[in-house]
Amino acid sequence: MKQKINALWAVLLGVAFAAYLAACGGNSDDTTPPAPPAPPTVLTQTSFEGSFEPFGVYQDPPETSKSFITIVTDPTAPDGNSVARISYEPGVRDGMYVGGIFFDFPDDAQPTELWGQFYMKTSPNYVWHSTGNKLVYMRMGYQNPVDGTSQTDHILGINYSYWSGYEEIFAPNIGWATQQSTNSDLNQMIYSSVGEFTRDTWHKIVFHLEMNTPGQQNGIGRIWLNDELVVNASNIMWLNAGNWGGVSGFRITPLWGGGGPDVIEETQYMYFDDVILQTGPFSGYSD
């Protein structure tokens, strides 16, 4: 009888232990690693091999017969053999651009978090504007609560001067400049000083942004330059109060200048390649 009771206790203890392990999510012999996170979804990409698609192109002025934005062969291209080239000819003045390369997200599929990558370089003779050099624009949200149609373009740019308090600092820097179409008093400039942007050399730029709560400065905007994190902001107001939406468009529109009397004296070029927009971090970059 005693042996039967001991056997019964052993069975009961075994059942209880098995139930405990099940409640903990497995058994003592389970060495299966957790499933890896799902890879990010690539929303669009191009290396300009033969066409701009799926991106579109526009020129300013649109009626000109000359093409300021073309695809050219470049054996140094980061991906493939072709790159997009944007031409700046003599006479281009402060605040001018010659067009852009764009991709728009559908209204019902605007991401509220976006990771992006692109490579850029300049011609050997490129002269940076002495103040502002805008590279790409992020078109975001609906900024007009009256008609629900007006949107705003925030900037990822390279500057050669910026203001710190009442002092103008002359140094290469890269960062974000927000442009609130309904209230410019809310605009922000978040820049980081970096080394000289070497001409005729490809520079890799990766960015990560997340929407803020409308009207609050809690949006994320990060920038890596040549794999080094140089801007890490978590206080950005992409959308101001009363606005809504996500990222509605991405535009490569290098605007030369933003203040000052500079004028381009000889033809110079800016090149772009390997553009990728996706929902999550790139390999080697943390969320």
Side-chain angles (χ1 to χ4, degrees):
M1 176 65 69
K2 186 175 181 180
Q3 290 179 340
K4 290 183 179 181
I5 293 175
N6 289 340
L8 179 61
W9 273 111
V11 171
L12 292 175
L13 288 173
V15 171
F17 187 61
Y20 169 77
L21 289 175
C24 293
N27 56 63
S28 59
D29 296 327
D30 187 2
T31 57
T32 304
T41 299
V42 175
L43 302 173
T44 188
Q45 66 183 114
T46 181
S47 56
F48 304 110
E49 294 301 308
S51 77
F52 291 98
E53 294 182 354
F55 286 71
V57 178
Y58 62 94
Q59 295 202 122
D60 186 38
E63 67 275 8
T64 182
S65 60
K66 182 175 178 58
S67 178
F68 296 104
I69 304 176
T70 58
I71 293 176
V72 298
T73 300
D74 185 341
T76 72
D79 185 17
N81 296 303
S82 299
V83 301
R85 185 184 72 182
I86 299 179
S87 306
Y88 297 86
E89 298 197 343
V92 170
R93 294 180 174 273
D94 169 71
M96 294 181 65
Y97 67 96
V98 295
I101 304 167
F102 68 93
F103 182 86
D104 289 331
F105 294 100
D107 287 344
D108 60 351
Q110 296 181 1
T112 56
E113 178 178 9
L114 183 66
W115 287 77
Q117 168 192 288
F118 61 91
Y119 286 80
M120 57 81 60
K121 76 170 182 176
T122 67
S123 55
N125 68 328
Y126 196 89
V127 177
W128 292 96
H129 191 277
S130 61
T131 56
N133 298 268
K134 302 168 184 177
L135 292 180
V136 301
Y137 289 78
M138 311 294 173
R139 178 157 288 184
M140 294 185 187
Y142 294 97
Q143 299 289 317
N144 191 332
V146 176
D147 60 24
T149 58
S150 178
Q151 298 174 308
T152 195
D153 293 325
H154 301 306
I155 301 164
L156 188 163
I158 295 173
N159 287 333
Y160 268 67
S161 72
Y162 63 101
W163 288 89
S164 177
Y166 294 99
E167 180 182 8
E168 188 172 15
I169 308 297
F170 289 91
N173 57 93
I174 189 170
W176 302 104
T178 64
Q179 301 183 122
Q180 300 294 346
S181 60
T182 57
N183 187 351
S184 61
D185 291 339
L186 299 175
N187 291 351
Q188 296 170 277
M189 297 186 69
I190 302 173
Y191 286 91
S192 175
S193 296
V194 295
E196 185 72 21
F197 286 86
T198 309
R199 295 169 176 82
D200 198 29
T201 299
W202 286 106
H203 297 282
K204 179 183 179 183
I205 296 176
V206 170
F207 65 86
H208 169 220
L209 58 87
E210 289 186 33
M211 290 295 100
N212 62 299
T213 304
Q216 298 184 25
Q217 292 184 345
N218 59 2
I220 291 175
R222 300 193 288 174
I223 301 172
W224 289 260
L225 176 62
N226 299 324
D227 296 324
E228 178 184 355
L229 180 63
V230 292
V231 177
N232 187 11
S234 58
N235 63 336
I236 299 181
M237 185 187 298
W238 300 118
L239 300 175
N240 61 32
N243 303 150
W244 65 96
V247 181
S248 58
F250 172 84
R251 282 154 168 69
I252 298 174
T253 309
L255 188 150
W256 196 76
D262 302 31
V263 179
I264 289 177
E265 298 181 354
E266 65 175 318
T267 301
Q268 60 187 37
Y269 304 103
M270 186 173 285
Y271 305 87
F272 291 86
D273 194 32
D274 198 19
V275 183
I276 305 174
L277 303 178
Q278 62 185 43
T279 60
F282 295 93
S283 177
Y285 293 82
S286 61
D287 197 351

